[in-house]
Amino acid sequence: MQTGEIIGNLSKEQGINLRQLAIKAEVPYNTLYAIVKRKSSRVDTETLIKIAKALGVQLRDLTDTSIWEEFDKQYPDMGENVARFEAVTAYLKEMGFSVDFAPEGEEGESYSAALGKDEHTAVFTQTEFEELQAGAKEAIEGRFYKKVLEQQKKK
């Protein structure tokens, strides 16, 4: 759905005609009419902000989300992967490491990770960094279950 169509639908849902919306948004009526009737996808950012405020919605609510929906279909685990990646990075920083990432490959399809600590630096490929993360998880889980068994024996 294009931005103009979204604006038209939202104004109808709220019972506001385009003339009223134009006044409320402080946007020329002809501009708003052209956006909605032509179902425009390209709208000046300043105009979009004014319209979003007038409708009481977020700016992102006025844009075409199909590209993100398609992205989510192609990469359903991306949000979870990014969250895990950010958590590992934060954990490394808490342990006193500096962490820098650099894109690799012609189109930046992979990365390298440079970890630094105590005036030393080690650069990991994406695969090596992912293995480092998996190894840390295994080490923590191993120690956790070892402690569980120790405590169960004491009972």
Side-chain angles (χ1 to χ4, degrees), residues 135-149:
K137 179 181 180 230
E138 290 170 8
I140 292 169
E141 286 179 345
R143 294 190 94 167
F144 168 77
Y145 287 112
K146 180 179 177 184
K147 191 68 168 177
V148 167
L149 291 172

Side-chain angles (χ1 to χ4, degrees), residues 22-82:
I23 292 167
K24 191 173 178 182
E26 298 178 0
V27 172
Y29 172 74
N30 291 340
T31 300
L32 183 61
Y33 182 86
I35 291 168
V36 174
K37 295 304 175 185
R38 293 184 186 142
K39 299 179 181 175
S40 297
S41 60
R42 293 180 153 209
V43 181
D44 176 70
T45 304
E46 187 177 319
T47 302
L48 263 182
I49 292 169
K50 289 178 178 182
I51 294 169
K53 284 181 181 178
L55 289 170
V57 299
Q58 298 291 320
L59 188 58
R60 70 175 173 267
D61 296 331
L62 300 182
T63 58
D64 177 17
T65 59
S66 62
I67 188 170
W68 298 114
E69 291 167 359
E70 185 60 33
F71 182 86
D72 288 343
K73 286 178 190 173
Q74 287 183 337
Y75 306 100
D77 299 330
M78 183 60 75
E80 183 180 314
N81 291 342
V82 168

Side-chain angles (χ1 to χ4, degrees), residues 79-110:
E80 183 180 314
N81 291 342
V82 168
R84 184 173 35 255
F85 182 83
E86 289 173 345
V88 168
T89 302
Y91 181 66
L92 288 168
K93 287 180 179 180
E94 286 176 15
M95 292 181 6
F97 286 93
S98 64
V99 184
D100 293 304
F101 297 96
E104 300 264 318
E106 290 180 22
E107 295 181 21
E109 64 274 2
S110 63

